[in-house]
Short mmCIF file of all heavy atoms in Angstrom, two decimals:
data_model
loop_
_atom_site.label_atom_id
_atom_site.label_comp_id
_atom_site.label_asym_id
_atom_site.label_seq_id
_atom_site.Cartn_x
_atom_site.Cartn_y
_atom_site.Cartn_z
N PRO A 186 5.31 18.29 57.86
CA PRO A 186 3.95 17.96 57.34
C PRO A 186 2.96 19.09 57.81
O PRO A 186 2.79 19.35 59.00
CB PRO A 186 3.62 16.54 58.00
CG PRO A 186 4.48 16.52 59.18
CD PRO A 186 5.78 17.22 58.85
N THR A 187 2.26 19.59 56.78
CA THR A 187 1.24 20.69 57.05
C THR A 187 -0.10 20.23 56.66
O THR A 187 -1.10 20.39 57.34
CB THR A 187 1.71 21.93 56.39
OG1 THR A 187 1.90 21.77 54.96
CG2 THR A 187 2.93 22.52 57.02
N THR A 188 -0.31 19.75 55.37
CA THR A 188 -1.55 19.39 54.91
C THR A 188 -1.97 17.99 55.35
O THR A 188 -1.21 17.23 55.93
CB THR A 188 -1.56 19.40 53.36
OG1 THR A 188 -0.62 18.32 52.90
CG2 THR A 188 -1.10 20.71 52.79
N PHE A 189 -3.13 17.58 55.13
CA PHE A 189 -3.65 16.21 55.55
C PHE A 189 -2.82 15.16 54.82
O PHE A 189 -2.41 14.26 55.47
CB PHE A 189 -5.12 16.07 55.22
CG PHE A 189 -5.58 14.71 55.28
CD1 PHE A 189 -5.91 14.16 56.54
CD2 PHE A 189 -5.89 13.86 54.20
CE1 PHE A 189 -6.28 12.82 56.72
CE2 PHE A 189 -6.32 12.56 54.34
CZ PHE A 189 -6.47 12.02 55.64
N LEU A 190 -2.47 15.28 53.52
CA LEU A 190 -1.75 14.34 52.79
C LEU A 190 -0.34 14.16 53.33
O LEU A 190 0.24 13.10 53.52
CB LEU A 190 -1.74 14.70 51.27
CG LEU A 190 -3.01 14.39 50.50
CD1 LEU A 190 -2.80 14.78 49.07
CD2 LEU A 190 -3.58 13.07 50.69
N ASP A 191 0.22 15.41 53.65
CA ASP A 191 1.52 15.34 54.33
C ASP A 191 1.57 14.54 55.60
O ASP A 191 2.44 13.62 55.83
CB ASP A 191 2.01 16.79 54.69
CG ASP A 191 2.40 17.51 53.45
OD1 ASP A 191 2.39 16.97 52.30
OD2 ASP A 191 2.71 18.77 53.55
N LYS A 192 0.59 14.72 56.46
CA LYS A 192 0.47 14.08 57.73
C LYS A 192 0.22 12.59 57.55
O LYS A 192 0.81 11.73 58.23
CB LYS A 192 -0.54 14.74 58.66
CG LYS A 192 -0.22 16.17 59.00
CD LYS A 192 -1.31 16.79 59.86
CE LYS A 192 -0.88 18.26 60.19
NZ LYS A 192 -1.99 18.92 61.01
N LEU A 193 -0.66 12.29 56.58
CA LEU A 193 -0.94 10.89 56.29
C LEU A 193 0.39 10.15 55.81
O LEU A 193 0.62 8.98 56.24
CB LEU A 193 -2.03 10.76 55.18
CG LEU A 193 -2.31 9.32 54.74
CD1 LEU A 193 -2.99 8.54 55.94
CD2 LEU A 193 -3.40 9.46 53.61
N ALA A 194 1.11 10.76 54.88
CA ALA A 194 2.35 10.11 54.48
C ALA A 194 3.36 9.95 55.59
O ALA A 194 4.01 8.93 55.74
CB ALA A 194 2.98 10.95 53.35
N TYR A 195 3.46 11.09 56.38
CA TYR A 195 4.44 11.06 57.45
C TYR A 195 4.20 9.90 58.51
O TYR A 195 5.08 9.19 58.85
CB TYR A 195 4.44 12.37 58.19
CG TYR A 195 5.41 12.55 59.35
CD1 TYR A 195 6.78 12.72 59.07
CD2 TYR A 195 4.97 12.40 60.66
CE1 TYR A 195 7.70 12.86 60.16
CE2 TYR A 195 5.79 12.58 61.71
CZ TYR A 195 7.24 12.73 61.45
OH TYR A 195 8.11 12.87 62.44
N TRP A 196 2.92 9.83 58.95
CA TRP A 196 2.68 8.85 59.97
C TRP A 196 2.55 7.46 59.44
O TRP A 196 2.75 6.43 60.17
CB TRP A 196 1.30 9.25 60.68
CG TRP A 196 1.52 10.49 61.55
CD1 TRP A 196 1.07 11.70 61.45
CD2 TRP A 196 2.39 10.42 62.81
NE1 TRP A 196 1.55 12.51 62.42
CE2 TRP A 196 2.30 11.78 63.27
CE3 TRP A 196 3.17 9.49 63.50
CZ2 TRP A 196 2.98 12.19 64.37
CZ3 TRP A 196 3.83 9.99 64.59
CH2 TRP A 196 3.79 11.27 65.05
N THR A 197 2.30 7.32 58.15
CA THR A 197 2.36 5.98 57.52
C THR A 197 3.75 5.44 57.57
O THR A 197 3.98 4.31 57.89
CB THR A 197 1.87 6.03 56.04
OG1 THR A 197 0.50 6.43 56.04
CG2 THR A 197 2.02 4.80 55.35
N VAL A 198 4.65 6.31 57.21
CA VAL A 198 6.15 5.89 57.23
C VAL A 198 6.58 5.64 58.66
O VAL A 198 7.28 4.68 58.89
CB VAL A 198 7.01 7.00 56.52
CG1 VAL A 198 8.49 6.68 56.71
CG2 VAL A 198 6.69 7.09 55.03
N LYS A 199 6.24 6.52 59.61
CA LYS A 199 6.63 6.31 60.94
C LYS A 199 6.05 4.97 61.48
O LYS A 199 6.78 4.30 62.36
CB LYS A 199 6.12 7.52 61.84
CG LYS A 199 6.90 8.75 61.63
CD LYS A 199 8.34 8.56 62.15
CE LYS A 199 9.10 9.87 62.11
NZ LYS A 199 10.54 9.70 62.58
N SER A 200 4.93 4.58 61.08
CA SER A 200 4.32 3.39 61.61
C SER A 200 5.01 2.12 61.02
O SER A 200 5.02 1.16 61.68
CB SER A 200 2.74 3.31 61.24
OG SER A 200 2.64 3.24 59.85
N LEU A 201 5.62 2.32 59.94
CA LEU A 201 6.39 1.22 59.25
C LEU A 201 7.71 1.08 59.88
O LEU A 201 8.36 -0.02 59.76
CB LEU A 201 6.59 1.45 57.74
CG LEU A 201 5.29 1.46 56.92
CD1 LEU A 201 5.60 1.86 55.44
CD2 LEU A 201 4.61 0.04 57.01
N ARG A 202 8.26 2.03 60.55
CA ARG A 202 9.58 1.97 61.06
C ARG A 202 9.62 1.10 62.33
O ARG A 202 10.59 0.44 62.58
CB ARG A 202 10.05 3.46 61.48
CG ARG A 202 11.42 3.47 62.10
CD ARG A 202 11.90 4.81 62.41
NE ARG A 202 13.12 4.76 63.25
CZ ARG A 202 13.76 5.87 63.62
NH1 ARG A 202 13.27 7.04 63.34
NH2 ARG A 202 14.76 5.74 64.49
N PHE A 203 8.57 1.10 63.11
CA PHE A 203 8.55 0.32 64.44
C PHE A 203 8.80 -1.12 64.15
O PHE A 203 9.69 -1.75 64.76
CB PHE A 203 7.27 0.57 65.10
CG PHE A 203 7.18 -0.23 66.39
CD1 PHE A 203 7.87 0.09 67.50
CD2 PHE A 203 6.33 -1.41 66.50
CE1 PHE A 203 7.77 -0.69 68.69
CE2 PHE A 203 6.19 -2.10 67.62
CZ PHE A 203 6.95 -1.82 68.75
N PRO A 204 8.01 -1.84 63.31
CA PRO A 204 8.27 -3.25 63.07
C PRO A 204 9.66 -3.52 62.46
O PRO A 204 10.26 -4.53 62.77
CB PRO A 204 7.17 -3.69 62.16
CG PRO A 204 6.68 -2.43 61.52
CD PRO A 204 6.81 -1.38 62.51
N THR A 205 10.14 -2.56 61.67
CA THR A 205 11.49 -2.78 61.16
C THR A 205 12.54 -2.69 62.20
O THR A 205 13.48 -3.51 62.21
CB THR A 205 11.75 -1.66 60.16
OG1 THR A 205 10.76 -1.70 59.09
CG2 THR A 205 13.06 -1.87 59.46
N ASP A 206 12.43 -1.74 63.19
CA ASP A 206 13.37 -1.69 64.26
C ASP A 206 13.29 -2.87 65.16
O ASP A 206 14.39 -3.40 65.58
CB ASP A 206 12.98 -0.43 65.17
CG ASP A 206 13.34 0.83 64.43
OD1 ASP A 206 14.19 0.86 63.50
OD2 ASP A 206 12.81 1.92 64.87
N VAL A 207 12.14 -3.48 65.43
CA VAL A 207 12.01 -4.64 66.20
C VAL A 207 12.59 -5.87 65.48
O VAL A 207 13.31 -6.65 66.14
CB VAL A 207 10.53 -4.93 66.50
CG1 VAL A 207 10.37 -6.22 67.19
CG2 VAL A 207 9.92 -3.74 67.38
N PHE A 208 12.38 -5.96 64.20
CA PHE A 208 12.82 -7.19 63.52
C PHE A 208 14.33 -7.25 63.33
O PHE A 208 15.01 -8.12 63.60
CB PHE A 208 12.13 -7.30 62.14
CG PHE A 208 12.39 -8.55 61.42
CD1 PHE A 208 11.66 -9.73 61.67
CD2 PHE A 208 13.37 -8.65 60.44
CE1 PHE A 208 11.96 -10.88 61.02
CE2 PHE A 208 13.62 -9.75 59.73
CZ PHE A 208 12.93 -10.98 60.05
N PHE A 209 14.93 -6.13 62.77
CA PHE A 209 16.32 -6.02 62.44
C PHE A 209 17.23 -5.50 63.57
O PHE A 209 18.43 -5.86 63.66
CB PHE A 209 16.55 -5.17 61.25
CG PHE A 209 16.03 -5.73 59.97
CD1 PHE A 209 14.86 -5.28 59.41
CD2 PHE A 209 16.75 -6.80 59.26
CE1 PHE A 209 14.33 -5.89 58.20
CE2 PHE A 209 16.24 -7.37 58.18
CZ PHE A 209 15.03 -6.90 57.59
N GLN A 210 16.58 -4.77 64.49
CA GLN A 210 17.36 -4.26 65.61
C GLN A 210 18.78 -3.52 65.08
O GLN A 210 18.54 -2.57 64.29
CB GLN A 210 17.71 -5.32 66.62
CG GLN A 210 16.43 -5.95 67.30
CD GLN A 210 16.69 -6.94 68.32
OE1 GLN A 210 17.84 -7.26 68.60
NE2 GLN A 210 15.64 -7.45 68.86
N ARG A 211 19.87 -4.01 65.37
CA ARG A 211 21.16 -3.31 64.89
C ARG A 211 21.88 -4.21 63.85
O ARG A 211 23.01 -3.92 63.59
CB ARG A 211 22.01 -3.14 66.11
CG ARG A 211 21.45 -2.19 67.14
CD ARG A 211 22.46 -1.84 68.23
NE ARG A 211 21.91 -0.85 69.15
CZ ARG A 211 21.84 0.48 68.92
NH1 ARG A 211 22.24 1.04 67.86
NH2 ARG A 211 21.26 1.25 69.86
N ARG A 212 21.12 -5.01 63.13
CA ARG A 212 21.65 -5.73 62.03
C ARG A 212 21.55 -4.88 60.76
O ARG A 212 20.68 -4.98 59.93
CB ARG A 212 21.02 -7.02 61.78
CG ARG A 212 21.21 -8.01 62.98
CD ARG A 212 20.71 -9.35 62.67
NE ARG A 212 21.49 -10.07 61.62
CZ ARG A 212 20.94 -10.73 60.52
NH1 ARG A 212 19.64 -10.58 60.38
NH2 ARG A 212 21.68 -11.27 59.67
N TYR A 213 22.38 -3.81 60.72
CA TYR A 213 22.16 -2.75 59.68
C TYR A 213 22.51 -3.20 58.28
O TYR A 213 21.93 -2.66 57.35
CB TYR A 213 23.06 -1.49 60.04
CG TYR A 213 22.47 -0.75 61.30
CD1 TYR A 213 23.08 -0.90 62.44
CD2 TYR A 213 21.34 0.03 61.15
CE1 TYR A 213 22.57 -0.25 63.59
CE2 TYR A 213 20.80 0.68 62.26
CZ TYR A 213 21.50 0.59 63.48
OH TYR A 213 20.89 1.26 64.59
N GLY A 214 23.35 -4.12 58.17
CA GLY A 214 23.61 -4.68 56.81
C GLY A 214 22.30 -5.26 56.21
O GLY A 214 21.97 -4.98 55.02
N CYS A 215 21.63 -6.14 56.90
CA CYS A 215 20.37 -6.80 56.44
C CYS A 215 19.29 -5.78 56.44
O CYS A 215 18.45 -5.90 55.54
CB CYS A 215 20.03 -8.02 57.31
SG CYS A 215 21.11 -9.43 57.09
N ARG A 216 19.34 -4.83 57.35
CA ARG A 216 18.32 -3.77 57.30
C ARG A 216 18.40 -2.96 56.02
O ARG A 216 17.41 -2.60 55.42
CB ARG A 216 18.54 -2.85 58.57
CG ARG A 216 17.51 -1.76 58.66
CD ARG A 216 17.91 -0.87 59.79
NE ARG A 216 16.90 0.20 60.13
CZ ARG A 216 16.23 0.24 61.17
NH1 ARG A 216 16.37 -0.79 62.08
NH2 ARG A 216 15.34 1.14 61.35
N ALA A 217 19.64 -2.70 55.61
CA ALA A 217 19.87 -1.89 54.37
C ALA A 217 19.38 -2.72 53.13
O ALA A 217 18.78 -2.18 52.23
CB ALA A 217 21.38 -1.60 54.25
N MET A 218 19.63 -4.08 53.26
CA MET A 218 19.18 -4.93 52.09
C MET A 218 17.66 -4.80 52.04
O MET A 218 17.11 -4.69 50.85
CB MET A 218 19.67 -6.35 52.37
CG MET A 218 19.20 -7.29 51.29
SD MET A 218 18.44 -8.81 51.76
CE MET A 218 17.84 -8.68 53.38
N MET A 219 16.89 -4.96 53.12
CA MET A 219 15.52 -4.87 53.07
C MET A 219 15.02 -3.52 52.58
O MET A 219 14.13 -3.31 51.79
CB MET A 219 14.96 -5.16 54.48
CG MET A 219 13.42 -4.86 54.65
SD MET A 219 12.44 -5.90 53.69
CE MET A 219 12.55 -7.45 54.49
N LEU A 220 15.62 -2.41 53.02
CA LEU A 220 15.26 -1.08 52.75
C LEU A 220 15.37 -0.84 51.22
O LEU A 220 14.50 -0.29 50.62
CB LEU A 220 16.18 -0.12 53.52
CG LEU A 220 15.96 1.38 53.15
CD1 LEU A 220 14.60 1.83 53.64
CD2 LEU A 220 17.05 2.19 53.87
N GLU A 221 16.48 -1.38 50.61
CA GLU A 221 16.69 -1.07 49.22
C GLU A 221 15.76 -1.88 48.32
O GLU A 221 15.44 -1.45 47.27
CB GLU A 221 18.11 -1.41 48.84
CG GLU A 221 19.24 -0.61 49.61
CD GLU A 221 19.02 0.88 49.53
OE1 GLU A 221 18.20 1.35 48.61
OE2 GLU A 221 19.59 1.68 50.31
N THR A 222 15.37 -3.09 48.76
CA THR A 222 14.35 -3.87 47.97
C THR A 222 13.06 -3.13 47.90
O THR A 222 12.26 -3.28 46.94
CB THR A 222 14.17 -5.26 48.54
OG1 THR A 222 13.59 -5.19 49.85
CG2 THR A 222 15.45 -6.06 48.52
N VAL A 223 12.63 -2.35 48.89
CA VAL A 223 11.44 -1.56 48.91
C VAL A 223 11.69 -0.19 48.22
O VAL A 223 10.88 0.26 47.39
CB VAL A 223 10.99 -1.33 50.36
CG1 VAL A 223 9.77 -0.35 50.39
CG2 VAL A 223 10.61 -2.67 51.00
N ALA A 224 12.87 0.41 48.48
CA ALA A 224 13.13 1.79 48.04
C ALA A 224 13.26 1.84 46.48
O ALA A 224 13.10 2.94 45.87
CB ALA A 224 14.39 2.35 48.64
N ALA A 225 13.51 0.67 45.80
CA ALA A 225 13.73 0.63 44.38
C ALA A 225 12.32 0.54 43.68
O ALA A 225 12.27 0.70 42.45
CB ALA A 225 14.61 -0.49 43.98
N VAL A 226 11.27 0.31 44.42
CA VAL A 226 9.96 0.12 43.78
C VAL A 226 9.33 1.51 43.39
O VAL A 226 8.83 1.59 42.25
CB VAL A 226 9.03 -0.62 44.76
CG1 VAL A 226 7.62 -0.56 44.23
CG2 VAL A 226 9.43 -1.98 44.94
N PRO A 227 9.22 2.52 44.27
CA PRO A 227 8.54 3.80 43.84
C PRO A 227 8.98 4.41 42.58
O PRO A 227 8.08 4.81 41.71
CB PRO A 227 8.71 4.72 45.05
CG PRO A 227 9.01 3.83 46.20
CD PRO A 227 9.77 2.63 45.59
N GLY A 228 10.25 4.47 42.27
CA GLY A 228 10.72 5.11 41.12
C GLY A 228 10.26 4.39 39.83
O GLY A 228 9.86 4.96 38.81
N MET A 229 10.26 3.08 39.95
CA MET A 229 9.81 2.26 38.75
C MET A 229 8.34 2.37 38.55
O MET A 229 7.87 2.52 37.44
CB MET A 229 10.24 0.78 39.04
CG MET A 229 9.92 -0.10 37.90
SD MET A 229 10.76 0.27 36.33
CE MET A 229 12.41 0.08 36.83
N VAL A 230 7.54 2.37 39.60
CA VAL A 230 6.10 2.53 39.58
C VAL A 230 5.77 3.90 38.98
O VAL A 230 4.97 4.05 37.99
CB VAL A 230 5.40 2.31 40.92
CG1 VAL A 230 3.97 2.67 40.83
CG2 VAL A 230 5.52 0.86 41.34
N GLY A 231 6.37 4.94 39.62
CA GLY A 231 6.07 6.39 39.09
C GLY A 231 6.53 6.50 37.66
O GLY A 231 5.73 7.14 36.86
#
């Protein structure tokens, strides 16, 4: 990240990772399920 928008995007995503780590811990199967329900949204919106 170099520009302001880059840094805003980077730290927004990093801030979202902490509660995800706390909630799912090492339950990677359910973590993947949650990740994909969110990851499928941006392409459709864009």
Side-chain angles (χ1 to χ4, degrees):
T187 53
T188 67
F189 171 75
L190 288 181
D191 286 355
K192 294 177 181 178
L193 177 60
Y195 179 79
W196 288 110
T197 297
V198 172
K199 284 295 184 183
S200 66
L201 294 175
R202 178 178 170 180
F203 176 74
T205 304
D206 289 341
V207 171
F208 187 84
F209 289 103
Q210 298 181 2
R211 296 189 178 278
R212 298 187 67 228
Y213 288 103
C215 289
R216 185 190 185 107
M218 180 233 14
M219 169 63 74
L220 178 65
E221 302 303 346
T222 60
V223 172
V226 170
M229 184 60 66
V230 171

